[in-house]
């Protein structure tokens, strides 16, 4: 599932392609992608509007329109496609006569933006404003924003009795960190994921904050080299596994102390950590 760095890389790559462009028409090819909103409602809100900017908060990406917004939530496998013309889209669509999967297509005054999720978990929704979208309104501090300071983060930790791993996954407190980067941040911060959030000493809270900031920055660099290729339906982020130190490394030696990385279940998700050097 794309977390903050992946979505930020998508936002940065998308901006020059769609900002200032007008949405001429919205084609909802698979109605499930806009559920529970109807395709006619999506068209009514979005058609004829200009895309003023591409915004991101947490794992959410949205298009700020002249009036209203379009949210794009990728869930597990959702992705964006962009083509300069319908002709080029049709060519990619039928390279072997099989056809590329597309759920929603925004026909712009220059280019076409497609949203695709073969597994149909991803969603495209329209809202009257940012505040009217419950998912956006409920998000906490964005982990890559200027407001995400060590002091603010320490306050949030003090207010939670939950294990550190579950605390980091709670999008209502800090937005953007998922299963992968929570494991990585705790490994870099040398903290046991089972510890209670409010048990951290000031120095430990600072260490974890620093770890989160650097883990996300490094992942973003990786996601931008190479940047997302919206013209390739098979494109996906590359090289992320090379920067991971804990996630998905069960049984492999810890890169710090050499002891095997352990996997445990926390809140129904897998946590990977080193029980020897994460205290
Ligand atoms: Zn270790």
């Amino acid at each position: 599932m794309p977390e903050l760095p992946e979505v930020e890389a998508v936002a940065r790559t998308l901006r020059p392609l769609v900002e200032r462009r007008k949405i001429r028409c919205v084609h909802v090819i698979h109605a499930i992608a806009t559920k529970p909103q109807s395709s006619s409602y999506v068209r009514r809100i979005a058609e004829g509007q200009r895309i003023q900017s591409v915004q991101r908060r947490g794992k959410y990406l949205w298009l700020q329109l002249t009036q209203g917004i379009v949210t794009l939530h990728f869930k597990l496998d959702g992705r964006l496609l962009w083509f300069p013309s319908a002709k080029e889209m049709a060519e990619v669509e039928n390279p072997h006569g099989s056809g590329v999967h597309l759920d929603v297509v925004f026909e712009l005054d220059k280019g076409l933006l497609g949203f695709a999720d073969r597994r149909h978990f991803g969603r495209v929704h329209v809202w009257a404003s940012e505040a009217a979208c419950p998912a956006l309104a409920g998000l906490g501090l964005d982990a890559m924003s200027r407001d995400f300071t060590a002091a603010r983060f320490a306050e949030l930790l003090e207010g939670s009795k939950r294990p550190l791993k579950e605390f980091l996954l709670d999008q209502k407190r800090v937005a953007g960190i998922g299963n992968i980067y929570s494991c990585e941040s705790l490994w870099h911060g040398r903290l046991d994921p089972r510890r209670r959030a409010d048990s951290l000493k000031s120095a430990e809270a600072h260490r974890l904050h620093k770890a989160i900031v650097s883990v996300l920055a490094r992942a973003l660099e990786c996601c931008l080299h190479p940047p997302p290729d919206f013209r390739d339906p098979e494109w996906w982020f590359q090289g992320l596994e090379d920067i991971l130190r804990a996630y998905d490394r069960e049984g492999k030696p810890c890169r710090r102390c050499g002891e095997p990385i352990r996997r445990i279940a926390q809140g129904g998700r897998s946590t990977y950590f080193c029980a020897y050097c994460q205290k």
Side-chain angles (χ1 to χ4, degrees):
M1 180 164 177
E3 299 181 25
L4 189 157
E6 288 87 347
V7 181
E8 177 65 18
V10 167
R12 289 189 189 188
T13 313
L14 187 63
R15 274 183 195 124
L17 298 173
V18 305
E19 274 185 356
R20 311 304 306 152
R21 301 265 69 96
K22 195 171 183 173
I23 300 173
R24 272 197 197 142
C25 187
V26 184
H27 305 275
V28 179
I29 298 154
H30 291 108
I32 190 171
T34 66
K35 266 193 169 174
Q37 296 181 347
S38 70
S39 49
S40 59
Y41 180 69
V42 172
R43 294 184 61 172
R44 194 160 72 236
I45 300 281
E47 285 184 352
Q49 300 249 20
R50 203 171 281 282
I51 299 169
Q52 292 190 318
S53 60
V54 175
Q55 304 279 343
R56 179 201 60 76
R57 194 182 308 140
K59 304 173 199 171
Y60 271 85
L61 185 78
W62 76 94
L63 310 175
Q64 178 66 52
L65 309 177
T66 321
Q67 270 192 314
I69 65 168
V70 176
T71 54
L72 305 158
H73 202 29
F74 302 111
K75 294 291 168 73
L76 296 169
D77 272 334
R79 60 192 69 195
L80 294 178
L81 295 166
W82 187 87
F83 301 100
S85 69
K87 187 175 165 283
E88 285 196 39
M89 188 172 82
E91 280 165 9
V92 173
E93 203 170 356
N94 287 298
H96 314 290
S98 54
V100 70
H101 183 98
L102 281 164
D103 291 301
V104 181
V105 176
F106 294 87
E107 199 182 317
L108 310 175
D109 55 0
K110 196 177 156 201
L112 295 101
L113 175 67
F115 180 91
D117 184 354
R118 283 194 190 95
R119 292 163 77 178
H120 288 137
F121 291 113
R123 289 291 180 269
V124 176
H125 289 140
V126 292
W127 308 90
S129 67
E130 199 187 313
C133 170
L136 283 181
L139 290 178
L141 206 53
D142 182 87
M144 215 175 243
S145 68
R146 237 177 272 144
D147 298 334
F148 183 65
T149 60
R152 192 76 192 85
F153 181 61
E155 272 174 33
L156 291 170
L157 284 165
E158 276 168 32
S160 174
K161 296 181 186 350
R162 297 173 76 184
L164 280 174
K165 169 73 182 326
E166 289 174 35
F167 167 85
L168 290 177
L169 290 183
D170 183 356
Q171 303 300 304
K172 291 185 187 75
R173 294 178 191 272
V174 179
I177 304 170
N179 211 31
I180 297 176
Y181 300 120
S182 56
C183 291
E184 292 301 303
S185 299
L186 289 165
W187 185 88
H188 282 277
R190 304 194 307 279
L191 291 164
D192 190 316
R194 299 167 293 188
R195 266 182 71 180
R196 261 172 61 160
D198 63 0
S199 76
L200 263 58
K201 295 186 183 78
S202 172
E204 291 173 323
H206 271 72
R207 209 163 71 211
L208 182 55
H209 177 266
K210 204 175 155 193
I212 292 169
V213 170
S214 71
V215 161
L216 294 179
R218 180 130 193 252
L220 175 61
E221 272 307 296
C222 188
C223 289
L224 289 168
H225 298 92
D229 181 359
F230 300 135
R231 293 205 209 183
D232 176 3
E234 300 306 317
W235 178 87
W236 199 245
F237 299 99
Q238 294 157 33
L240 281 168
E241 56 285 351
D242 299 336
I243 64 171
L244 301 181
R245 293 291 175 265
Y247 185 79
D248 208 17
R249 297 193 72 246
E250 185 183 11
K252 291 180 183 165
C254 169
R255 296 275 174 86
R256 201 162 33 216
C257 73
E259 293 296 330
I261 294 287
R262 275 182 62 191
R263 180 169 68 92
I264 57 167
Q266 278 185 300
R269 315 280 301 271
S270 285
T271 295
Y272 299 87
F273 74 111
C274 174
Y276 294 87
C277 66
Q278 287 180 244
K279 300 293 179 195

